[in-house]
Amino acid sequence: MYNRPAHMSGGPPQWQLYARVASAAKAADAAKAAGGRLLNGPMEVPGGSWIAQFLDPQGAAIAVNEPAPAAKPAPSPPPKPVAVKPAAPPAPKPAAAAAPKPVAAAPTAPPKPAAPPAPKPAAVAPAAPAAKAAPSAPAAKAAPAPKKAPAKKAAKKAAKKAAKKVAKKKAAKKAAKKVARKAKKAKSKSRAKRPAAAKRAKKAGKKRGGARRKK
């Protein structure tokens, strides 16, 4: 990544792509032969690697990087020969001493067996008194069932009363609606009958007027 240099009047910061190659010099020669233009290098950079920068035939910048050769490990010194001490000769084994011949011993009379001592009577330990049975604990009485709180009963009664009132109101509304419907029907019937009655009255008036004229 490159920041914009101070001497450049324009141009934003830029970045450049490096391709890793085995030899920067060979890559530069190949780029020249293909129509590229070498801009910088090949040159060694800190760390031991080599780079080269050039333009391709279309004018795009590209660069190559040759990695630094790996440092070979220093040869280890040959191991020093270890002095081997000569083995000591085995010590001579001592000669086995001749076993002495057994001497025949005179037979001796067998000892008389001693009379066994009379056994002492064993002391009988007194029997331990029988442990008294622990008195049984009294059976726990069953806890009385909790009585219903009077507040709950009062709440239930109040809820029932409220439900009855609501039912009565609903019934009254339904009855009022029925009455209103019946009144509307009666009005509509009376309105339908009025034009017929008016026509009849007109006809009757015309007949009466004609009869008067004739007279």
Side-chain angles (χ1 to χ4, degrees):
M1 303 287 294
Y2 297 95
N3 287 324
R4 184 171 60 190
H7 65 273
M8 291 179 65
S9 59
Q14 57 185 340
W15 61 276
Q16 190 172 12
L17 178 69
Y18 281 77
R20 177 161 289 184
V21 295
S23 173
K26 289 181 180 179
D29 294 340
K32 288 177 185 178
R37 185 168 55 128
L38 183 65
L39 297 176
N40 184 22
M43 62 176 291
E44 188 177 5
V45 295
S49 61
W50 288 75
I51 64 169
Q53 300 169 344
F54 35 82
L55 297 176
D56 68 358
Q58 286 75 29
I62 191 169
V64 294
N65 172 264
E66 177 187 346
K72 293 182 180 180
S76 58
K80 294 180 180 180
V82 180
V84 181
K85 294 181 180 180
K93 293 182 179 180
K101 292 181 180 181
V103 179
T108 57
K112 293 181 179 180
K120 293 181 180 181
V124 179
K132 292 181 180 181
S136 60
K141 292 182 180 180
K147 295 181 179 180
K148 293 184 178 180
K152 290 184 179 179
K153 290 182 179 180
K156 285 184 178 179
K157 287 181 180 180
K160 286 181 180 179
K161 286 181 180 179
K164 286 180 180 179
K165 287 181 180 180
V166 172
K168 285 180 180 179
K169 287 181 180 180
K170 288 182 178 179
K173 284 182 180 180
K174 286 182 179 179
K177 286 180 179 179
K178 284 182 180 179
V179 171
R181 287 174 187 171
K182 287 180 179 180
K184 283 183 180 180
K185 285 181 180 179
K187 284 182 181 180
S188 60
K189 285 180 180 179
S190 63
R191 285 177 183 174
K193 288 178 181 180
R194 281 177 186 175
K199 286 180 181 180
R200 288 174 187 172
K202 283 181 179 181
K203 285 181 180 181
K206 285 179 180 180
K207 286 179 180 180
R208 287 176 187 175
R212 286 175 183 176
R213 288 174 185 174
K214 286 178 180 181
K215 285 180 181 180

